[in-house]
Amino acid sequence: PKQAQPGPQASAFAPSNIALCKYWGKRDKALNLPINPSLSVSLGQLGSRTELSPIDGAEDRVILNGEVQSLEGGFAAKVVSFLDLFRQPGSPRLQVDTHNNIPTAAGLASSASGFAALMLAVDKLYNFGLSPEQLSAFARLGSGSASRSIFEGFVEWQMGVRDDGMDSHARPLAQSWPNFRIGLLTLTSAAKSVGSRAGMQRTVDTAHLYQSWPLQAAADLERIHQAIEQQDFELLGATAEQNALSMHATMIASWPPLLYWQPESVAAMQQVWALREQGLPLYFTMDAGPNLKLLFQGQDQQAVLKAFPSLQVVAPFEAA
Ligand code: 2P0
């Protein structure tokens, strides 16, 4: 869709998400088309709110958590090219005001919720009236994982087969899991060395281990569907943890090596394994950073908090 005349103002919210079956590797870099399908859970009230308003002048203005961003690179440059997909060259420039209520130190990518909220706000501003599937496919152009942040709850991003990518979008699963908990464990605020975009490309290009990743992801996806269907927490946790560690194995086997872990990450993994050994159904997942995201159930929250007092607990299926 492309339209010249925006409305006066538009605002939208999108949740952050944590993948239980990870997206790692692209078959098309320009369109962010994945090599494997992925499945995530959205984080309810944690995410990004984005407000769009037309402004006078020759350039867009991008504000992130109250700070005006340079348009030269990073998030703001991606935002401007994303907006250009939806407007004519002569169309008014926009102010993009984004607030993340996500603890960035916990290693939650703000690009997923950020581009999903931006896509929802664009749809409102230009009155496109896109379907949820179209919103998801277009959000994917900003950042792959943003396709999943269009929806709440459990979300699957299907790979699609079309060259134009319009069938590579997410869809929400019908199932809910009220006592499902995610714990955000902030271990270190050390800035990550290599971003996801460059990291997954390096893995695809240099890691022989990556060849087995699509098969593993397909099998894990099936197991996670089964676990959700049967509300089998141990199957869900075990599959998600093995999926994350397998993704990290492909990263480590890249060259130059990509090791996102810090000593604190390994210590926390060992603590999770020790607690599990003692009978606590506790699992973890990890993304392209040093922090862990713990997976457990509401009835075990006190025990988990006792072991990890600084944990920020999210109940994705409970209304705020
Ligand atoms: C995921 N990650 O499934 C995986 C696991 C990080 C590790 O999706 O290049 O920021 O914008 O499509 O979406 C982060 O990758 O990458 C990500 P682009 P994106 O959550």
Side-chain angles (χ1 to χ4, degrees):
K2 231 171 208 185
Q3 216 162 309
Q5 283 313 312
Q9 191 264 7
S11 164
F13 171 85
S16 185
N17 75 75
I18 303 283
L20 302 172
C21 179
K22 307 293 188 186
Y23 154 50
W24 199 249
K26 303 178 197 205
R27 64 180 197 274
D28 184 315
K29 284 180 247 179
L31 295 177
N32 290 336
L33 295 177
I35 286 176
N36 64 282
S38 55
L39 194 151
S40 60
V41 56
S42 286
L43 295 191
Q45 311 295 311
L46 283 186
S48 304
R49 175 160 288 282
T50 296
E51 188 178 308
L52 287 177
S53 30
I55 51 171
D56 293 330
E59 284 192 330
D60 296 316
R61 182 160 63 233
V62 178
I63 306 169
L64 182 57
N65 293 334
E67 285 186 25
V68 178
Q69 306 289 302
S70 153
L71 299 182
E72 293 305 309
F75 176 69
K78 281 188 200 166
V79 165
V80 171
S81 6
F82 185 77
L83 291 172
D84 286 340
L85 298 171
F86 303 99
R87 59 186 176 184
Q88 308 289 355
S91 166
R93 300 299 90 183
L94 298 172
Q95 173 173 293
V96 181
D97 192 358
T98 294
H99 285 271
N100 298 328
N101 65 358
I102 317 166
T104 30
L108 287 190
S110 51
S111 63
S113 55
F115 280 102
L118 182 59
M119 184 62 240
L120 293 168
V122 162
D123 184 62
K124 285 186 190 170
L125 188 76
Y126 296 110
N127 222 352
F128 287 144
L130 295 173
S131 69
E133 290 76 18
Q134 290 171 320
L135 290 166
S136 171
F138 284 128
R140 190 202 71 233
L141 298 172
S143 192
S145 51
S147 65
R148 301 186 308 236
S149 276
I150 294 290
F151 302 104
E152 301 284 349
F154 290 119
V155 178
E156 179 182 349
W157 172 16
Q158 58 189 40
M159 298 171 55
V161 293
R162 287 169 55 149
D163 286 339
D164 70 1
M166 288 311 290
D167 59 349
S168 184
H169 58 73
R171 64 179 181 91
L173 306 191
Q175 295 92 341
S176 150
W177 195 324
N179 68 358
F180 188 84
R181 299 287 181 275
I182 292 184
L184 307 175
L185 186 60
T186 306
L187 297 164
T188 159
S189 53
K192 72 173 167 186
S193 40
V194 180
S196 292
R197 189 160 290 191
M200 66 175 85
Q201 197 51 46
R202 187 188 296 179
T203 307
V204 172
D205 291 341
T206 67
H208 278 291
L209 269 190
Y210 186 77
Q211 290 182 23
S212 62
W213 170 252
L215 279 175
Q216 163 121 35
D220 289 344
L221 187 75
E222 280 318 301
R223 272 192 285 269
I224 290 170
H225 272 295
Q226 190 192 335
I228 293 171
E229 193 66 45
Q230 300 169 351
Q231 306 265 297
D232 180 341
F233 182 73
E234 311 247 340
L235 180 62
L236 184 85
T239 308
E241 186 174 305
Q242 195 183 10
N243 180 272
L245 288 170
S246 301
M247 175 184 72
H248 280 272
T250 72
M251 296 163 165
I252 295 166
S254 303
W255 198 263
L258 271 173
L259 181 67
Y260 287 101
W261 304 352
Q262 293 293 324
E264 295 89 340
S265 320
V266 178
M269 288 180 209
Q270 286 169 334
Q271 202 179 343
V272 167
W273 292 328
L275 289 163
R276 209 153 73 215
E277 198 77 1
Q278 294 162 23
L280 189 66
L282 173 67
Y283 297 84
F284 68 83
T285 185
M286 281 181 86
D287 295 298
N291 295 302
L292 273 66
K293 285 97 180 188
L294 305 186
L295 307 173
F296 54 98
Q297 297 170 97
Q299 60 266 35
D300 298 316
Q301 186 160 325
Q302 279 199 323
V304 175
L305 276 171
K306 203 171 158 226
F308 300 96
S310 69
L311 200 67
Q312 184 179 358
V313 178
V314 183
F317 295 92
E318 292 204 336

